[in-house]
Amino acid sequence: SSGINAEYGGQDQQLHLTFMDVEQAKEALGGVVLEIQDLARNVVTGCTITTSLDEAFAGVDIAILIASVPHLKGMERADLLAANTKIFRATGEALERVAKRDIKVLVVANPCNTNALVTAKYAPSLSPTQFTGLSMLDHNRSVSQVAMKLGRRPAEVHNVTIWGNHSHTMYPDVTHAVISEDNGKLSYVSELVENEWTRGDLVKVIRGRANDIIGRRGMTTMSTGQAIADHLRDWVFGTPSEQHVSMAVPSTGEYGIPPGVFFSHPVKVSKEGKVEIVSGLQLNSFTHERLQESYRELRDEADLALKLAAQH
């Protein structure tokens, strides 16, 4: 859409889009390409449709991994992980074979933290830092909730953090979030709203938001698409110097999370696209407990997923 031009460097930026899916979805992908043509945007120079992972990943600068097996009624957690680890092991192996050595890989498909871990595991010649998981959707949701609570615009809310696994244990944290005033002054959100809301209603809304939307309209395509664009804009062009955003990235040991775990953290990104976890934030005991709760869930999920992946 018109937003593509703004997010990726203006009218002079050119993109070639490659869409990959299973054979049964090939006709539907053709419909997607027709709609992209109908947008009449200079930014898109062409589209390719393929059912081959190797063809999809060869030569691309950014790979966005969207599809996974959904959690169907009656499906056990182990069955869900087994189906998805097979997909993401094959994806990692294809990236290992054909991907550019500086590719950026964004994992959207859930469970995105664990899917990112499995994909990176099977692309060992790539750095784990070239893989990220999407927590920007929950970041944006949290920004919106804070803005509505305070009667402000979302653009005035900064430094919200989404911690942890993309699951019912993720924790939206506004402890270090600020509101920018017209006079340049910054006010801490935590001083403007009560703890009962930040630790109660906000957490409940963010954790349940996807189910609420899907229950009403069956999908979250608009907000997910915007979150992907926001994530990639920050990863490619960097974040404002005094602001951080949320990404699921490999931990380097901060905040009691062991190294190597794909965990949503507050991050800053340089203009060259280097992602760094924000260190030194003071966490209260409540927040620390939420991080450990999410880590324990993610650790167990990741251990099972890697065992299952090794069996394929």
Side-chain angles (χ1 to χ4, degrees):
S1 71
S2 58
I4 293 175
N5 297 325
E7 301 296 354
Y8 295 102
Q11 293 282 357
D12 293 333
Q13 178 68 58
Q14 295 186 333
L15 298 174
H16 184 97
L17 305 177
T18 299
F19 299 93
M20 181 270 166
D21 209 329
V22 295
E23 186 68 36
Q24 300 93 304
K26 199 169 182 179
E27 185 172 353
L29 288 181
V32 172
V33 170
L34 294 179
E35 284 209 88
I36 289 173
Q37 292 170 350
D38 292 348
L39 293 173
R41 296 297 171 188
N42 293 336
V43 68
V44 180
T45 61
C47 297
T48 299
I49 295 174
T50 182
T51 58
S52 163
L53 284 168
D54 284 16
E55 184 179 351
F57 294 136
V60 303
D61 297 300
I62 298 171
I64 308 169
L65 310 183
I66 296 175
S68 63
V69 175
H71 195 161
L72 303 174
K73 185 177 181 180
M75 180 181 282
E76 296 293 333
R77 180 166 165 266
D79 296 330
L80 177 66
L81 284 174
N84 281 311
T85 53
K86 183 177 181 179
I87 293 171
F88 288 93
R89 172 175 173 163
T91 299
E93 290 171 338
L95 289 166
E96 179 69 11
R97 287 191 299 270
V98 304
K100 294 174 68 173
R101 297 301 90 179
D102 61 350
I103 190 174
K104 288 179 166 64
V105 182
L106 169 59
V107 182
V108 178
N110 287 315
C112 68
N113 301 58
T114 298
N115 289 340
L117 175 70
V118 172
T119 308
K121 166 79 173 178
Y122 287 93
S125 68
L126 300 178
S127 169
T129 60
Q130 291 174 247
F131 297 81
T132 59
L134 186 75
S135 52
M136 183 63 78
L137 177 53
D138 304 296
H139 182 101
N140 286 348
R141 288 168 172 163
S142 300
V143 167
S144 176
Q145 290 297 312
V146 169
M148 289 191 294
K149 176 73 172 177
L150 296 176
R152 306 299 291 269
R153 296 182 299 121
E156 297 171 325
V157 181
H158 311 293
N159 296 349
V160 167
T161 300
I162 300 296
W163 296 101
N165 196 11
H166 186 80
S167 73
H168 68 282
T169 65
M170 67 180 166
Y171 181 58
D173 180 16
V174 300
T175 307
H176 301 93
V178 294
I179 294 284
S180 57
E181 307 289 352
D182 292 337
N183 60 5
K185 178 184 176 183
L186 298 177
S187 300
Y188 280 98
V189 170
S190 58
E191 297 175 352
L192 303 175
V193 296
E194 62 277 7
N195 279 343
E196 289 77 9
W197 183 79
T198 60
R199 297 180 178 184
D201 290 348
L202 176 63
V203 175
K204 182 178 179 180
V205 167
I206 301 308
R207 289 178 176 176
R209 191 68 162 187
N211 287 338
D212 189 9
I213 296 171
I214 291 170
R216 294 167 185 257
R217 67 183 298 263
M219 63 189 75
T220 61
T221 48
M222 287 191 293
S223 53
T224 301
Q226 184 61 56
I228 291 170
D230 291 343
H231 180 111
L232 292 177
R233 177 201 62 222
D234 291 337
W235 198 3
V236 172
F237 297 115
T239 52
S241 59
E242 300 303 318
Q243 297 177 24
H244 69 246
V245 295
S246 304
M247 293 184 184
V249 296
S251 173
T252 53
E254 293 84 354
Y255 306 110
I257 307 304
V261 177
F262 275 82
F263 197 87
S264 184
H265 284 86
V267 303
K268 291 185 176 182
V269 187
S270 71
K271 298 303 180 184
E272 295 73 36
K274 182 181 179 182
V275 179
E276 291 189 357
I277 295 172
V278 177
S279 61
L281 296 179
Q282 296 299 309
L283 305 184
N284 56 42
S285 59
F286 183 87
T287 301
H288 182 72
E289 289 169 4
R290 301 289 75 72
L291 267 64
Q292 289 302 308
E293 175 187 33
S294 196
Y295 164 66
R296 289 190 295 270
E297 178 196 54
L298 187 53
R299 176 197 61 198
D300 294 345
E301 183 177 279
D303 287 348
L304 177 57
L306 289 175
K307 289 177 183 177
L308 292 168
Q311 298 171 9
H312 295 306

